[in-house]
Amino acid sequence: MELIRKPIHYTQEGKSIFDQFYLDEDYNVPDQKEDVGRIVQGSARLRAEEIRPIENYIKITGKVYFTILYMTDSGDPRPAALEGSVPFEEMVYAESDGNETFFLSNVRTEFSVSVVNSRKLTLRITAEAEIGRESLRDERLTEDVDSETPLCRKKEKMNLLKLAVSRKDTYRIREEINLPGTKESIGQLLFKDMDIRRLDIRMGTDEVLIRGELLVFCMYLSAEEKADWIEQSIPFEGSISCEGANENMYYHIRHELEDPILDIRLDEDGEMRVLGVEAALSLGMNLYEEEETEILTDMYSLEQECAFDTEDTVLEELLMQNQSRCRIVERLALPELKDDVLQIIHSTGSIQTESEQRTEEGIRVEGILHLSFLYLRGNDAEPYGSWQGIMPFSYLIEFQDMPENTADSLTSHVEQMSVALAGSEAVEIKAVLAFDVFLRRLVPVNVITDVRLQPLDAEALSQRPGIVGHIVQPGEDLWSLAKKYLTTEEGIMEVNGLESEKISQGDKLLIFKENMSIL
């Protein structure tokens, strides 16, 4: 006897780990920078450079890159900026079998700055991230058995997810922004912010198609040291090569904007009126194919005793690949800003997911939208201010009749956000939160790894009754009854005049031993 087996390559995700850590650093203002009078706003972005398991820990090293907008401490205060980075090393407890790879997702940072004196600052950084884990697995599924002895076989059809491509790549964005005629030429860059919006990723033949928008904000000083700013969405579209990809594949892709660079360039007239924009979109890609597979799950023989060994494994079937969007519109009363805000200059937001709860209707996501905005004040001595706040949200990613055993890969980002004045004491916030969900059903499978035939116990067989009356018990089906009484499903159906294999608890059946004539 020989088992007929089929290989399958798939990923298996482990339980995510949520980590939060803090950094407190003293920062000395570089000699070439002016004295600090008042902090206006700060932003920070975390970048992990290495994620490496060490015994029962994960070592994460990298840097937090920051930008600080401040007013100078001088007789004529004006805006200025500081940029730098803070290295970090974080050890996170995580038991692993050594075959897993780890990655960061849903990373968020909070950044605050306090002034010790005009030449020294204290930086406080709170970073939180979800540490995901996955391993590549190879399994050999048993589809059938080659046997000279007649066997009754039970097979189960499944549409399994098979990993076709797993790789990391980078899509480079290189664009330019020309200043409108109403803007003055650029003398010095102060504060910049870049973020990906409306990202759409699709599969093509041997390529990954990418399009979206890069939202760029830049505050600068003109040659006459007058402060100005520009905010613009730059559309981009392109592709990266990915051998083996095709448009029918399913996919889960993690993305992160890295190395944003903004520089001043000359226009055709030799004036500093062009901003060069460069950034890297880092992609961690898993591409899947759905393969219909028939797995041998049980067997028996009417002529010999059939024994086999099994090995437990868990496979996956796709339930949903979707990008779900949550729209938020809310008016916030901000009496503390009464008559202080002339214009909203720039706004940013980030998502903090607090819980994911599976219900019969889908996945209920509870979280907080952290938002901040930079604004222009009606005070010439202190012309700029910033505000930070939170908005709780609850959103249902719909999926009717959610099975019990599921796994999901859920990432989130702010796709759109705007903050507008709504009177002297309020703002109206409009945001679109995007949730990329890759939902799978977990399928426990007993894979048959070995089978043996041996003679039946003739004495025990002779003591079996030739005819049995049976009342169907909970959990029984035709297969289990046929195997128990050494007959066939077809035989039971013929004797009892059944038109289908469906039987119910309490049904009364007459079962004959196979090959016995019906009286």
Side-chain angles (χ1 to χ4, degrees):
M1 296 181 66
E2 183 179 356
L3 296 177
I4 300 173
R5 310 191 74 178
K6 176 182 181 179
I8 185 170
H9 187 55
Y10 65 103
T11 59
Q12 192 172 67
E13 290 196 11
K15 187 176 181 181
S16 295
I17 305 166
F18 294 89
D19 183 52
Q20 185 179 72
F21 64 91
Y22 306 90
L23 298 172
D24 285 300
E25 292 284 334
D26 288 333
Y27 176 77
N28 295 314
V29 178
D31 294 338
Q32 66 271 26
K33 293 291 185 178
E34 296 188 62
D35 289 355
V36 177
R38 181 176 66 88
I39 302 298
V40 178
Q41 190 177 46
S43 66
R45 185 188 298 267
L46 181 147
R47 181 177 180 185
E49 297 173 346
E50 184 182 34
I51 304 175
R52 182 161 55 97
I54 300 177
E55 295 182 351
N56 288 329
Y57 288 86
I58 308 167
K59 181 180 180 182
I60 307 172
T61 56
K63 293 179 180 177
V64 177
Y65 295 87
F66 64 84
T67 303
I68 301 169
L69 179 66
Y70 68 96
M71 299 300 294
T72 60
D73 184 20
S74 60
D76 182 21
R78 58 192 179 89
L82 297 168
E83 290 186 331
S85 63
V86 178
F88 70 88
E89 179 180 302
E90 177 76 352
M91 299 291 288
V92 182
Y93 181 77
E95 294 183 357
S96 173
D97 61 4
N99 297 316
E100 295 176 308
T101 57
F102 296 87
F103 56 88
L104 297 186
S105 63
N106 299 323
V107 178
R108 197 181 66 83
T109 58
E110 293 182 8
F111 181 57
S112 63
V113 186
S114 58
V115 179
V116 178
N117 57 56
S118 62
R119 306 303 300 173
K120 187 175 182 179
L121 308 176
T122 297
L123 313 180
R124 292 184 175 87
I125 301 167
T126 301
E128 61 180 34
E130 179 181 350
I131 305 171
R133 58 171 82 189
E134 68 178 11
S135 56
L136 300 180
R137 303 288 186 182
D138 289 289
E139 190 68 68
R140 296 177 65 209
L141 305 178
T142 300
E143 293 185 308
D144 208 339
V145 59
D146 186 8
S147 171
E148 295 180 357
T149 302
L151 296 175
C152 296
R153 299 168 173 84
K154 183 180 182 182
K155 297 183 178 181
E156 184 176 353
K157 289 185 178 180
M158 299 179 182
N159 289 319
L160 298 177
L161 275 180
K162 182 180 73 172
L163 182 67
V165 179
S166 180
R167 58 175 294 191
K168 295 180 180 179
D169 211 330
T170 300
Y171 177 77
R172 303 273 174 193
I173 303 172
R174 294 184 176 91
E175 301 288 346
E176 288 186 343
I177 297 176
N178 294 289
L179 292 186
T182 55
K183 298 288 184 180
E184 295 192 37
S185 298
I186 304 171
Q188 177 188 346
L189 297 179
L190 292 177
F191 188 84
K192 66 178 184 289
D193 185 35
M194 295 189 204
D195 204 1
I196 294 289
R197 300 289 169 90
R198 301 177 185 270
L199 184 63
D200 182 31
I201 301 177
R202 299 181 185 276
M203 297 300 109
T205 303
D206 292 328
E207 63 179 354
V208 178
L209 307 175
I210 302 170
R211 66 179 179 182
E213 295 178 2
L214 183 64
L215 180 64
V216 179
F217 171 77
C218 175
M219 190 173 187
Y220 64 91
L221 290 177
S222 68
E224 292 75 27
E225 296 192 343
K226 177 184 176 182
D228 206 345
W229 57 86
I230 183 172
E231 185 171 67
Q232 186 171 318
S233 288
I234 307 173
F236 61 87
E237 185 172 358
S239 64
I240 56 175
S241 176
C242 184
E243 185 177 353
N246 67 69
E247 60 186 11
N248 296 318
M249 283 184 171
Y250 301 99
Y251 51 90
H252 177 63
I253 298 178
R254 301 182 300 273
H255 61 84
E256 181 181 5
L257 188 67
E258 296 181 346
D259 303 326
I261 299 173
L262 204 61
D263 61 75
I264 313 170
R265 299 177 185 177
L266 296 172
D267 65 4
E268 295 178 352
D269 299 324
E271 297 183 357
M272 294 293 194
R273 300 189 59 79
V274 177
L275 287 172
V277 180
E278 294 187 15
L281 184 61
S282 174
L283 303 171
M285 303 181 289
N286 284 341
L287 313 185
Y288 301 88
E289 291 177 314
E290 199 171 33
E291 183 170 317
E292 185 173 317
T293 304
E294 197 170 47
I295 300 176
L296 181 65
T297 59
D298 199 2
M299 57 183 143
Y300 65 93
S301 170
L302 301 177
E303 300 178 2
Q304 298 188 61
E305 185 177 338
C306 181
F308 53 86
D309 300 326
T310 62
E311 187 176 88
D312 294 337
T313 190
V314 178
L315 304 174
E316 294 181 342
E317 293 181 327
L318 180 65
L319 294 176
M320 177 175 63
Q321 174 193 303
N322 189 29
Q323 185 178 81
S324 189
R325 292 173 174 84
C326 170
R327 287 172 169 80
I328 297 176
V329 178
E330 189 161 335
R331 181 187 174 101
L332 290 182
L334 303 176
E336 67 271 24
L337 300 182
K338 182 179 180 181
D339 301 324
D340 190 42
V341 182
L342 295 182
Q343 180 185 350
I344 305 293
I345 298 175
H346 176 60
S347 59
T348 60
S350 62
I351 298 173
Q352 178 184 359
T353 301
E354 295 196 308
S355 68
E356 298 174 26
Q357 182 180 2
R358 291 177 178 84
T359 69
E360 292 184 357
E361 293 79 26
I363 303 174
R364 172 68 62 179
V365 182
E366 307 277 352
I368 295 171
L369 173 62
H370 294 258
L371 55 96
S372 66
F373 59 83
L374 177 67
Y375 61 89
L376 182 65
R377 306 174 64 187
N379 185 335
D380 292 338
E382 296 183 356
Y384 305 103
S386 64
W387 180 89
Q388 293 182 340
I390 62 173
M391 288 175 55
F393 68 87
S394 176
Y395 180 63
L396 177 67
I397 302 172
E398 294 184 0
F399 187 87
Q400 294 296 323
D401 302 321
M402 175 79 72
E404 289 187 4
N405 296 320
T406 60
D408 68 77
S409 302
L410 181 66
T411 57
S412 59
H413 62 277
V414 177
E415 186 170 272
Q416 299 177 49
M417 195 176 81
S418 66
V419 180
L421 292 175
S424 61
E425 299 184 21
V427 295
E428 184 180 60
I429 297 169
K430 296 181 179 180
V432 177
L433 314 183
F435 297 91
D436 297 308
V437 60
F438 195 70
L439 180 65
R440 293 96 62 203
R441 183 170 76 92
L442 301 179
V443 184
V445 176
N446 293 323
V447 179
I448 296 175
T449 57
D450 186 41
V451 61
R452 301 171 300 280
L453 290 177
Q454 56 193 39
L456 290 170
D457 186 333
E459 182 178 349
L461 187 62
S462 65
Q463 294 178 358
R464 285 176 176 264
I467 303 175
V468 175
H470 185 89
I471 299 176
V472 178
Q473 302 300 309
E476 291 183 330
D477 57 13
L478 279 186
W479 172 267
S480 62
L481 294 178
K483 183 177 181 180
K484 178 179 179 180
Y485 293 109
L486 281 182
T487 184
T488 64
E489 293 175 292
E490 295 78 10
I492 297 176
M493 292 175 65
E494 180 182 355
V495 169
N496 293 275
L498 301 178
E499 296 182 356
S500 72
E501 297 178 358
K502 184 178 180 181
I503 56 175
S504 304
Q505 179 182 346
D507 287 352
K508 297 178 181 179
L509 301 176
L510 195 61
I511 301 176
F512 287 73
K513 186 186 295 185
E514 188 66 17
N515 297 327
M516 179 177 179
S517 61
I518 302 176
L519 300 178

